[in-house]
Amino acid sequence: MSEEKKSLNFLEQIIEEDLATGLAKNKLRFRFPPEPNGYLHIGHAASICLNFGLGETYNAPVNLRFDDTNPAKEEQEYVDAIKKDIQWLGFKWDKELYSSDYFQQLYDWAILLINKEKAYVDNQSSAQIAEQKGTPTESGSNSPFRNQTIEENLALFEKMKNGDFEEGSHVLRAKIDMKSTNMLMRDPIIYRVLKESHHRTGNDWNIYPMYDWAHGESDYIEQISHSICTLEFKHHRELYDWFLDQIYDPKNLRPKQREFARRNLSYTVMSKRKLLQLVEENMVSGWDDPRMPTISGLRRRGYTAKSIRNFSETAGISKRDNVVDIALLEFHIKNELNKTAPRVMAVLNPVKVIITNYPERKEEILIAENNPEDENAGSREVSFSREIYIEKEDFREQANKKFFRLKLDKEVRLKNAYIIKANSVVKDNNGEITEIHCTYDEDSKSGSGSEASKRKVKGTIHWVSIKHAIQAEVRLYDRLFTDEAPDSHKDKDFKEFINPDSLKIIKKAFIEPSLKSSKIGDTMQFQRIGYFNVDTDSTSENLVFNRTVPLRDSWAKKEQKNHN
Ligand code: ATP
Ligand code: MG
């Protein structure tokens, strides 16, 4: 660690201090504690990379603990998806654990609290309880049930457990201090009646523990040295410590809660509740819709585990809330794919070009470099013939000097092929161009070494041979929201900011034949367009490509430099 001379983040500094003041290194243990009520998102990735990263740095175990204390919202589907995503990110947990495994222990400790006169059953309504809670500037008042005897409390708690009470009628509260300046310390609820079936414990329990009670005590059971959570739990730390005080045995390690700022990302929402709304209201195709900020959505979109880990590392961890620009995430995937993704040609919005001086039946196999950024990437064969498709946007009958693509009476280079010149167009009754008639310079073949092959023309455009091209579906994804912070508007629902153009489907795009055997998940660069991958909907009969991220840099300039 210190050999690497990496500067320590504030959590690592805390750990280093603990090690320096007597904590044995082999006592270090971390956990990642997702609630299985949704899929993991890029914010969770921050917490995963942080906790598992600490595990790697200190060679310490990291538990995966499902925080499953709220049966109404939790499902096995989510458990499975969470495990898949963490593994995909490349991390290994030590033990797979569930808060629900501790329900009996948590219950026994609740009895202990009652016996110590530190907890009581309150049978007021939640409204009455809230009323007595006070405000941050005014003390609360004691519940009339606060001084019940131990025996009364034990009997009532037993009934809660047995299902004798209705939901909302009784709660178990910790007896702390209704005058505390920390509202959370004003006799917080530890158990509530919930007659829900749990995804693991079925109908065994009619009461379920609250987060604060379950979380700290689970950390203690697992002997987690540093329980890292997000900033909104800062005020909970006092309660976390109070709960530990009630059961802590100095023979054991005492877990420590520390907080860091949530990872927020621009142009998206990150709460699972809101993501679930998008799924349930069919605004996206599912949790793994490529526009979702979920790990599974990003994976389907073409993001790699490495790009997400690199992003997390660069964004870093912070003590204060902040918003990271989504462009940083896009930068990381572009940067990686630039080095790894093979270049191919695809025409998304085709117009036909006929090269009138190219022999009718002739076909040629041209050699194209797979990746100029990777000398080991090799090359491939691309078929050329008299009729090709180019992008409609790459041709204009007339254009100013800044238009470096094809225009009438001017030349352009076809990528990996010849220089062509546009001579005339054919239009349909609506005035739409249906054919562009060109001639080619036979001596200008790329890489042939001839004088003409070195001839400089202003632009290079991509193309596919009509005879050889394969038809495919291309899904152009864009940001899901038009607003930088869609859920920050008080008077507007975040869904009002959904980008109506976040998905454009092209059913009939034409791709070069080398892509015929593409497999789901393969990544590639459609030259001059962007980075793409093969979607999970893809079949050998109907290939489907997703745009991961467009190429926004001036491809044409770089391309000319690299040419020949
Ligand atoms: P959400 O608000 O999205 O539902 P959550 O906090 O309820 O998130 P959990 O499943 O409880 O989701 O989170 C598991 C762990 O991931 C927790 O330790 C939590 O603090 C952390 N986490 C969740 N969201 C973020 C985020 N945006 N940035 C960093 N860590 C996060
Ligand atoms: Mg949570």
Side-chain angles (χ1 to χ4, degrees):
M1 177 68 254
S2 43
E3 292 102 73
E4 285 174 32
K5 300 248 172 4
K6 202 175 90 175
S7 70
L8 301 180
N9 67 43
F10 74 95
L11 290 169
E12 288 165 339
Q13 279 169 15
I14 290 169
I15 293 167
E16 292 290 333
E17 263 167 47
D18 290 340
L19 292 174
T21 53
L23 177 67
K25 199 162 178 218
N26 65 5
K27 295 278 180 198
L28 286 177
R29 184 179 285 274
F30 307 98
R31 92 283 174 262
F32 173 66
E35 184 180 352
N37 62 348
Y39 281 57
L40 296 178
H41 52 60
I42 186 78
H44 292 113
S47 175
I48 293 170
C49 292
L50 173 62
N51 283 296
F52 284 94
L54 288 170
E56 284 176 0
T57 304
Y58 292 100
N59 196 17
V62 183
N63 288 345
L64 169 59
R65 182 198 313 142
F66 288 99
D67 207 344
D68 57 349
T69 55
N70 189 3
K73 292 183 177 162
E74 294 159 3
E75 288 172 30
Q76 186 62 37
E77 176 197 345
Y78 298 137
V79 169
D80 297 338
I82 288 168
K83 285 163 65 178
K84 180 175 169 185
D85 288 348
I86 299 171
Q87 282 167 329
W88 177 76
L89 282 172
F91 294 112
K92 279 204 186 77
W93 53 85
D94 183 43
K95 298 195 183 78
E96 175 185 335
L97 300 163
Y98 294 80
S99 295
S100 57
D101 293 342
Y102 312 138
F103 280 171
Q104 185 61 46
Q105 175 68 78
L106 293 169
Y107 177 78
D108 293 345
W109 276 333
I111 303 274
L112 183 81
L113 288 195
I114 294 174
N115 279 318
K116 286 169 62 171
E117 298 191 295
K118 293 286 178 73
Y120 61 98
V121 173
D122 196 330
N123 78 349
Q124 300 180 95
S125 68
S126 56
Q128 282 171 312
I129 292 176
E131 210 175 298
Q132 291 156 8
K133 200 104 209 208
T135 67
T137 51
E138 261 174 79
S139 296
S141 51
N142 287 348
S143 157
F145 299 91
R146 204 173 196 259
N147 291 320
Q148 263 162 185
T149 63
I150 294 173
E151 289 67 33
E152 283 170 318
N153 284 318
L154 288 174
L156 287 166
F157 191 45
E158 173 93 20
K159 286 189 158 179
M160 279 173 68
K161 177 182 183 254
N162 291 342
D164 296 343
F165 295 135
E166 291 312 306
E167 283 183 18
S169 66
H170 291 72
V171 290
L172 183 72
R173 296 175 72 180
K175 195 193 266 192
I176 309 182
D177 180 6
M178 291 305 290
K179 296 191 184 69
S180 173
T181 49
N182 182 347
M183 299 281 288
L184 292 168
M185 300 298 277
R186 295 184 186 174
D187 292 9
I189 295 171
I190 2 187
Y191 271 97
R192 71 244 200 252
V193 175
L194 257 189
K195 301 196 172 167
E196 291 271 357
S197 169
H198 186 279
H199 73 115
R200 285 174 69 84
T201 59
N203 295 318
D204 290 356
W205 294 89
N206 295 299
I207 53 171
Y208 289 92
M210 300 300 285
Y211 171 87
D212 287 302
W213 173 243
H215 203 90
E217 313 313 78
S218 300
D219 286 340
Y220 181 64
I221 295 169
E222 293 176 19
Q223 290 288 280
I224 301 301
S225 60
H226 296 82
S227 174
I228 299 166
C229 60
T230 40
L231 227 45
E232 70 273 22
F233 290 100
K234 195 152 194 141
H235 295 306
H236 295 242
R237 200 204 280 184
E238 193 181 354
L239 182 55
Y240 182 98
D241 286 333
W242 190 90
F243 281 142
L244 278 183
D245 286 340
Q246 309 313 312
I247 53 153
Y248 174 61
D249 176 342
K251 284 204 303 286
N252 295 326
L253 173 143
R254 189 184 163 103
K256 208 178 218 190
Q257 174 186 302
R258 289 296 177 267
E259 309 84 15
F260 75 108
R262 251 170 199 270
R263 168 70 35 78
N264 297 307
L265 199 61
S266 64
Y267 292 98
T268 191
V269 295
M270 216 111 81
S271 117
K272 277 185 279 188
R273 189 174 55 80
K274 290 179 183 147
L275 297 175
L276 180 64
Q277 272 183 54
L278 295 174
V279 173
E280 287 186 333
E281 293 171 28
N282 292 320
M283 295 182 144
V284 293
S285 65
W287 284 96
D288 71 343
D289 184 296
R291 292 165 293 180
M292 291 281 270
T294 51
I295 309 283
S296 49
L298 291 166
R299 172 168 64 234
R300 187 166 168 193
R301 176 85 170 249
Y303 277 80
T304 60
K306 194 170 145 202
S307 67
I308 293 174
R309 289 176 67 156
N310 285 342
F311 164 73
S312 285
E313 172 115 344
T314 324
I317 62 155
S318 161
K319 284 189 200 180
R320 294 236 185 115
D321 278 322
N322 61 83
V323 180
V324 179
D325 193 337
I326 198 166
L328 183 66
L329 182 62
E330 292 165 349
F331 163 81
H332 278 284
I333 189 63
K334 270 204 269 191
N335 196 36
E336 181 180 335
L337 293 179
N338 180 39
K339 294 178 200 125
T340 59
R343 273 57 171 166
V344 292
M345 293 195 283
V347 175
L348 305 190
N349 188 17
V351 61
K352 186 175 187 173
V353 168
I354 300 178
I355 302 164
T356 51
N357 61 339
Y358 194 88
E360 293 232 5
R361 291 221 165 66
K362 185 168 169 181
E363 281 176 32
E364 254 179 289
I365 290 180
L366 305 174
I367 302 298
E369 209 181 353
N370 282 334
N371 186 350
E373 301 293 325
D374 175 4
E375 54 187 30
N376 299 317
S379 57
R380 69 189 186 285
E381 298 181 337
V382 185
S383 298
F384 187 77
S385 64
R386 189 171 194 261
E387 297 191 353
I388 62 174
Y389 285 133
I390 65 168
E391 301 284 354
K392 271 190 187 140
E393 300 76 42
D394 282 340
F395 175 75
R396 291 206 196 140
E397 290 180 82
Q398 278 155 5
N400 68 21
K401 286 196 179 122
K402 288 193 181 129
F403 187 78
F404 293 144
R405 292 166 272 171
L406 187 62
K407 52 190 163 188
L408 282 179
D409 298 322
K410 296 284 187 236
E411 288 188 320
V412 80
R413 174 170 287 284
L414 294 175
K415 178 80 189 154
N416 305 311
Y418 296 97
I419 294 173
I420 57 169
K421 181 176 171 185
N423 303 312
S424 63
V425 294
V426 177
K427 293 183 183 173
D428 65 13
N429 293 338
N430 303 321
E432 280 269 340
I433 296 172
T434 54
E435 284 177 10
I436 306 166
H437 290 195
C438 296
T439 45
Y440 84 122
D441 175 351
E442 199 184 338
D443 293 327
S444 65
K445 187 154 97 181
S446 293
S448 67
S450 69
E451 280 309 306
S453 75
K454 292 177 191 149
R455 200 145 66 73
K456 290 271 174 276
V457 288
K458 276 269 159 53
T460 301
I461 62 174
H462 60 275
W463 54 274
V464 292
S465 161
I466 295 179
K467 188 169 171 192
H468 303 93
I470 306 169
Q471 193 177 310
E473 179 175 330
V474 173
R475 299 177 182 169
L476 297 176
Y477 288 106
D478 203 349
R479 292 174 184 177
L480 187 53
F481 294 96
T482 52
D483 191 85
E484 256 181 77
D487 54 3
S488 69
H489 301 268
K490 277 206 190 74
D491 47 343
K492 282 191 174 151
D493 186 74
F494 73 101
K495 285 173 287 181
E496 289 182 37
F497 298 98
I498 290 220
N499 176 5
D501 301 318
S502 62
L503 171 58
K504 190 176 156 217
I505 298 178
I506 300 174
K507 286 277 182 197
K508 284 189 185 176
F510 292 92
I511 57 173
E512 63 168 68
S514 71
L515 289 170
K516 193 170 172 49
S517 52
S518 303
K519 302 267 175 315
I520 289 170
D522 284 357
T523 58
M524 69 276 314
Q525 184 197 89
F526 287 177
Q527 289 183 302
R528 299 180 63 233
I529 301 175
Y531 292 103
F532 288 74
N533 81 334
V534 181
D535 188 66
T536 45
D537 285 345
S538 196
T539 62
S540 50
E541 290 77 46
N542 184 42
L543 290 168
V544 181
F545 296 86
N546 299 322
R547 181 170 68 194
T548 309
V549 61
L551 285 179
R552 233 173 274 115
D553 48 1
S554 50
W555 183 89
K557 274 188 214 142
K558 253 197 299 184
E559 196 52 30
Q560 275 204 328
K561 231 175 45 205
N562 296 340
H563 202 74
N564 289 319

